[in-house]
Amino acid sequence: MIDTTPTSPTGQSTAEPRQVDAVEGFERISTLLGDLNRLPSGTVANRSEYDADGSHENQLLSVRLGVATSLFYSLRCKHRQTADHSLRVALGCSVWADRLQLPTELRDRLEVAALLHDIGNIATPDRVLKKPGHLTADERLIMDQAPDVACEILRGCCNDDSLLNILRYSRNWYKAGNDSDQIQGDDLPLGARMLAIVESFDSMTTDQVYRRAFSQERAVAELFQCAGTQFDPDLVRDYAVLLENRPELMYATAARRWLQELQGEFSNRFWSSSPSSSSGTTGERQTGQLLFHQHLLDTMCDGVVAIDGEGVITHWNYAFERMTNIAADAMIGQAWSDSLVGWEDTRAPSGDSVGLSSCLRSGAQSRRRMRMVLPEGKETPVKVNFIPILAAENRVQGALAIVNDISQEESLEQKVQSLHVKATRDGLTGVANRAEFDRALGDVVEFAAEGKGPASLILCDIDRFKSVNDTFGHQAGDEALISFAEVLARHSRDGDLVARYGGEEFVLLCPGCDNATAAKRAETIRSDLERISQPALNNKCITASFGVTEYQSGDTESTVVARADRALYKAKENGRNRVVQLGSGLREPVDTMSDSSKGWFHWLLTPSKSNQVVAELVTRAPVEMVIEKLRGFIADHNAEILKVQDKRLELRLDVRSSIHGRRSADGVSAFHLLIDLDERNVETGLHGEHSSLMETVIDASVSPWRSRDRRNREVKGACRNVIASLKSYLMADYVKQP
């Protein structure tokens, strides 16, 4: 079930029935300022309002909350991540309310309630709110009281019971059971039911300490899984349709309404008193020196983590994020604990304490050869330099750890890096060429297929490039290509591969990067590109469209590229200069497809007793959404539709096997795929209650097309791979494994 209390640092639900599922999540669209900066040209009157100190964010809050803006500022001072989450939830609720054509009064209440739904966390102690580990029973009890505290805070300045009821009941389950005295079902306010869904959406699309953000498609499946119990099933279905349609424009619509339609008196009508106003805003001031230091830390190959005098994490660079597999966004601002990363020095004297906390206490610098031990038991040999940060009079005001990975194992990043030689470079732009990309893509797909980590692909294309050549000439077009390649290279990380795919199309191959992170990176590149003037184009700017996807079970090199290309085409179709992400990513370990730990490659080497692989799948997604996902499966696999009859579909697929024969043609085999779809009612209520929620059952069977293929020992594994790919595309789970 889905966690609806995103501000809990561990993601643990604060109410007993809300235990966190290990596979919950949504693709995070972007960080707060990234979301606001994504608005297309013309959304607001003055693009300069988007600045680094958050003044545009403050303007949005002022026109929406009026005199109650100070409440939100208080929450932001207490915990910035919670405030950012609340603003994204409010914008999402606003767009959804517009789609449903809700009355203006209800939409206004919903927006304000969403902005302030976590205001109760002001009363939550920092030791609980910023705790990086699991919460104790007493700490969970404190978090449980946050919604009630929010209502108490707002009751002092708000006399609108409808608004307060949205907050009060947003944590209630849609079906809590017959023995529950909670308000449930359609008796819950519509705004509360909507807020619960959007809050969970944003919580699961945000990097947390305990997990990375999940992709949108994977999260939609989670929403459907909890529909009928935790959430209103009809609203879940409608929200899924909203996400399917141009989600990249969601926040732009709401921000435009807030800035252009709302007036001061209109925003203040919920509040019974008007505190004295104060001029000016207090945004975070980033000087050029600070930006330089931040860029320096982010591009270092060594991991860097720093804490201040209170033990709060202030820096966590990308290299350390990759070493620990813990997102920086989830850690900065949290309290440091030596249990997060253990430093073991077997040569140190007994009782010798080593770590950031001891460095902060003692103020002594030390350099050691150690083993870094993560909570999941992973050990990495490292060299660590613990450095105290000193202020005036040698007073210790923080500590810094610089971590150098000295593991002798050759990583995938090193393999990709070794291919960067002159023979593999594009002659014009200097980035990798198409042949180099094809070779690297095979390594990355193999890396992901063996369960070593996620891998993503960003496919990008300069918008209206033909008009650039026609207007300014081909020489100017070449300069634009070089400039675009430089932007991509500047935003690449250690182990990434930037390549020219063809013409004005480029790719960024990102091993170790999931869907959500890749989409966020693509948005950053898109935003930077549209601000760079091109001297060869009379100082005009160019824009680009981006398609993002992640390797998922059953993928081959061709299906990954095809899905990214489909996302790119959708970005072009939706108006260009935007990022579209497709694919659910890895939802489960790759070895779950077989009954042994050897993975499905084991089946490639095992003679088959049957020529057909049969599986039964189920998904809570409605059949019309399943059909849309099937269209993507057919397009990406270049499948041939043989027959469509009622709810049955017959396809022919040409699949490249992982084990090739002596001839290149031996590696390609044709398969017959038969799919039956059926919708059925399922019992979703607790304690024997029934609901009208529908789920889609998929019966699939795969068999070799030619009789001679049935003698190949790898055919069974290839059939299983087709089923795994179908399962990923349809966001389904196994009822009967192949």
Side-chain angles (χ1 to χ4, degrees):
M1 54 191 68
I2 296 177
D3 180 15
T4 58
T5 56
T7 54
S8 173
T10 63
Q12 300 297 321
S13 175
T14 59
E16 282 301 323
R18 296 180 176 84
Q19 297 299 320
V20 178
D21 193 287
V23 295
E24 68 177 355
F26 269 112
E27 176 191 3
R28 181 181 185 182
I29 295 179
S30 182
T31 58
L32 173 65
L33 293 178
D35 291 327
L36 298 178
N37 287 333
R38 171 180 6 220
L39 305 183
S41 300
T43 299
V44 294
N46 187 357
R47 290 286 297 178
S48 66
E49 290 169 339
Y50 300 99
D51 49 37
D53 65 2
S55 63
H56 181 70
E57 174 192 341
N58 295 332
Q59 184 184 3
L60 284 175
L61 296 171
S62 178
V63 297
R64 177 61 279 183
L65 291 178
V67 297
T69 307
S70 57
L71 287 174
F72 192 90
Y73 288 170
S74 299
L75 177 62
R76 190 165 62 185
C77 291
K78 174 76 172 182
H79 196 236
R80 179 72 190 222
Q81 292 89 336
T82 300
D84 291 350
H85 157 77
S86 297
L87 180 55
R88 292 191 302 267
V89 171
L91 291 170
C93 287
S94 180
V95 176
W96 193 10
D98 181 64
R99 167 185 166 81
L100 296 177
Q101 297 183 347
L102 298 183
T104 301
E105 286 291 327
L106 176 55
R107 181 176 181 182
D108 292 336
R109 290 187 177 94
L110 178 57
E111 291 171 352
V112 174
L115 274 172
L116 300 176
H117 74 276
D118 275 333
I119 200 69
N121 283 334
I122 291 177
T124 304
D126 285 348
R127 62 179 177 82
V128 177
L129 192 60
K130 298 181 180 181
K131 183 177 180 180
H134 291 283
L135 299 180
T136 65
D138 291 339
E139 291 167 341
R140 284 199 300 270
L141 182 60
I142 294 175
M143 293 295 296
D144 284 342
Q145 297 171 350
D148 295 332
V149 174
C151 290
E152 289 298 323
I153 292 174
L154 295 179
R155 189 176 289 114
C157 60
C158 177
N159 54 12
D160 192 307
D161 289 335
S162 298
L163 190 155
L164 294 176
N165 284 338
I166 293 177
L167 289 173
R168 184 176 292 110
Y169 300 121
S170 62
R171 300 287 174 86
N172 283 27
W173 280 34
Y174 183 73
K175 290 293 184 182
N178 291 330
D179 57 347
S180 174
D181 57 356
Q182 290 185 355
I183 295 178
Q184 55 183 303
D186 293 337
D187 293 335
L188 289 169
L190 175 61
R193 286 177 274 153
M194 294 174 63
L195 177 57
I197 294 172
V198 181
E199 183 184 16
S200 295
F201 167 76
D202 187 79
S203 174
M204 295 185 293
T205 56
T206 305
D207 285 325
Q208 306 288 353
V209 177
Y210 59 95
R211 63 156 172 80
R212 303 302 296 266
F214 284 5
S215 70
Q216 175 180 311
E217 295 189 9
R218 177 177 176 181
V220 169
E222 290 297 319
L223 276 182
F224 279 117
Q225 192 67 29
C226 297
T229 52
Q230 193 171 356
F231 305 120
D232 184 328
D234 294 331
L235 289 180
V236 168
R237 183 173 297 209
D238 188 80
Y239 191 63
V241 174
L242 173 64
L243 293 177
E244 190 74 16
N245 299 330
R246 307 185 72 173
E248 72 280 2
L249 296 183
M250 286 180 60
Y251 293 161
T253 304
R256 181 171 57 250
R257 172 180 182 264
W258 290 13
L259 291 175
Q260 295 181 355
E261 298 179 12
L262 297 179
Q263 304 298 325
E265 294 181 0
F266 195 77
S267 302
N268 289 327
R269 71 188 187 284
F270 295 119
W271 318 115
S272 56
S273 61
S274 299
S276 60
S277 61
S278 59
S279 61
T281 59
T282 56
E284 295 180 0
R285 193 164 175 260
Q286 293 183 324
T287 64
Q289 185 180 16
L290 290 177
L291 291 175
F292 171 78
H293 291 161
Q294 183 64 48
H295 180 71
L296 180 63
L297 288 173
D298 288 340
T299 54
M300 287 181 62
C301 295
D302 293 341
V304 178
V305 57
I307 60 176
D308 62 16
E310 301 298 326
V312 176
I313 299 172
T314 59
H315 289 90
W316 188 289
N317 73 341
Y318 168 69
F320 199 60
E321 178 180 305
R322 181 163 49 85
M323 291 179 187
T324 60
N325 200 29
I326 300 176
D329 289 345
M331 292 305 304
I332 294 178
Q334 306 289 349
W336 169 264
S337 171
D338 284 334
S339 61
L340 285 174
V341 178
W343 315 100
E344 292 185 356
D345 188 351
T346 56
R347 296 174 297 179
S350 178
D352 186 9
S353 178
V354 179
L356 267 180
S357 299
S358 59
C359 179
L360 183 63
R361 290 191 302 268
S362 65
Q365 180 176 350
S366 62
R367 180 173 178 84
R368 307 198 182 208
R369 186 184 182 98
M370 314 173 70
R371 300 193 71 82
M372 184 173 68
V373 184
L374 300 179
E376 62 269 22
K378 177 184 176 181
E379 295 187 5
T380 303
V382 293
K383 288 182 179 178
V384 187
N385 194 3
F386 297 104
I387 306 172
I389 302 174
L390 303 178
E393 300 178 355
N394 290 329
R395 180 174 55 86
V396 179
Q397 65 174 8
L400 179 75
I402 302 177
V403 187
N404 176 237
D405 186 354
I406 57 174
S407 174
Q408 298 302 311
E409 297 180 3
E410 187 178 11
S411 64
L412 175 68
E413 290 83 358
Q414 293 169 327
K415 291 180 181 179
V416 176
Q417 193 81 16
S418 66
L419 296 175
H420 285 187
V421 294
K422 291 183 179 180
T424 62
R425 297 285 175 175
D426 175 63
L428 175 64
T429 62
V431 299
N433 58 22
R434 173 67 179 272
E436 170 65 9
F437 165 74
D438 290 339
R439 285 190 291 270
L441 179 63
D443 289 339
V444 170
V445 169
E446 180 182 356
F447 166 84
E450 293 176 354
K452 296 180 179 178
S456 295
L457 176 66
I458 302 174
L459 184 60
C460 38
D461 181 274
I462 298 178
D463 295 329
R464 298 183 175 89
F465 186 70
K466 183 178 183 301
S467 65
V468 172
N469 283 330
D470 293 344
T471 304
F472 300 99
H474 289 277
Q475 182 64 36
D478 289 347
E479 293 296 328
L481 291 174
I482 295 172
S483 176
F484 186 34
E486 290 175 348
V487 172
L488 292 173
R490 190 161 60 245
H491 286 275
S492 66
R493 296 173 172 175
D494 185 25
D496 291 348
L497 179 72
V498 179
R500 187 179 180 187
Y501 192 71
E504 68 272 20
E505 284 190 328
F506 291 80
V507 290
L508 181 58
L509 191 58
C510 310
C513 183
D514 60 20
N515 241 335
T517 305
K520 185 166 62 175
R521 294 179 60 190
E523 177 58 34
T524 302
I525 297 171
R526 185 207 64 78
S527 178
D528 284 356
L529 180 66
E530 69 176 357
R531 291 175 172 82
I532 299 175
S533 59
Q534 306 290 333
L537 308 182
N538 293 338
N539 290 323
K540 295 179 182 282
C541 300
I542 60 174
T543 63
S545 301
F546 297 78
V548 180
T549 193
E550 178 189 351
Y551 173 89
Q552 60 192 30
S553 297
D555 265 341
T556 62
E557 293 97 318
S558 60
T559 57
V560 172
V561 173
R563 191 163 58 249
D565 188 61
R566 188 158 51 90
L568 175 60
Y569 177 79
K570 189 173 182 180
K572 293 278 190 182
E573 193 178 48
N574 286 352
R576 297 182 173 87
N577 190 24
R578 61 190 74 256
V579 177
V580 172
Q581 174 266 314
L582 290 178
S584 59
L586 284 172
R587 297 183 58 196
E588 58 190 16
V590 293
D591 61 356
T592 57
M593 292 189 55
S594 69
D595 55 359
S596 72
S597 61
K598 300 179 181 179
W600 71 271
F601 289 101
H602 168 71
W603 292 91
L604 299 180
L605 304 176
T606 305
S608 172
K609 296 181 179 180
S610 172
N611 297 323
Q612 187 180 54
V613 173
V614 180
E616 183 179 354
L617 308 171
V618 65
T619 175
R620 287 285 178 88
V623 68
E624 58 268 18
M625 184 171 290
V626 172
I627 292 174
E628 285 298 319
K629 301 302 180 185
L630 267 176
R631 289 195 177 101
F633 175 85
I634 293 170
D636 295 346
H637 288 78
N638 197 24
E640 176 186 358
I641 300 177
L642 302 177
K643 187 177 181 181
V644 179
Q645 183 178 4
D646 195 17
K647 296 181 180 180
R648 169 168 289 196
L649 177 66
E650 293 187 46
L651 302 172
R652 170 181 167 144
L653 292 85
D654 291 326
V655 178
R656 180 171 295 278
S657 304
S658 296
I659 299 180
H660 302 283
R662 288 172 295 177
R663 299 171 300 168
S664 60
D666 291 340
V668 179
S669 299
F671 292 88
H672 180 264
L673 174 59
L674 183 63
I675 301 173
D676 287 300
L677 302 178
D678 187 28
E679 271 194 323
R680 67 186 182 191
N681 284 310
V682 292
E683 180 181 327
T684 60
L686 301 176
H687 307 290
E689 293 183 3
H690 294 273
S691 74
S692 60
L693 185 67
M694 305 292 291
E695 68 179 12
T696 304
V697 180
I698 306 104
D699 290 312
S701 64
V702 185
S703 57
W705 185 266
R706 296 182 292 267
S707 58
R708 69 179 180 89
D709 288 336
R710 300 188 181 106
R711 297 190 297 270
N712 293 343
R713 59 184 180 180
E714 72 269 16
V715 69
K716 187 83 170 188
C719 289
R720 287 175 173 270
N721 209 29
V722 172
I723 294 292
S725 182
L726 180 68
K727 173 179 176 290
S728 297
Y729 272 81
L730 302 188
M731 306 178 301
D733 296 308
Y734 284 120
V735 175
K736 175 184 177 184
Q737 287 201 5

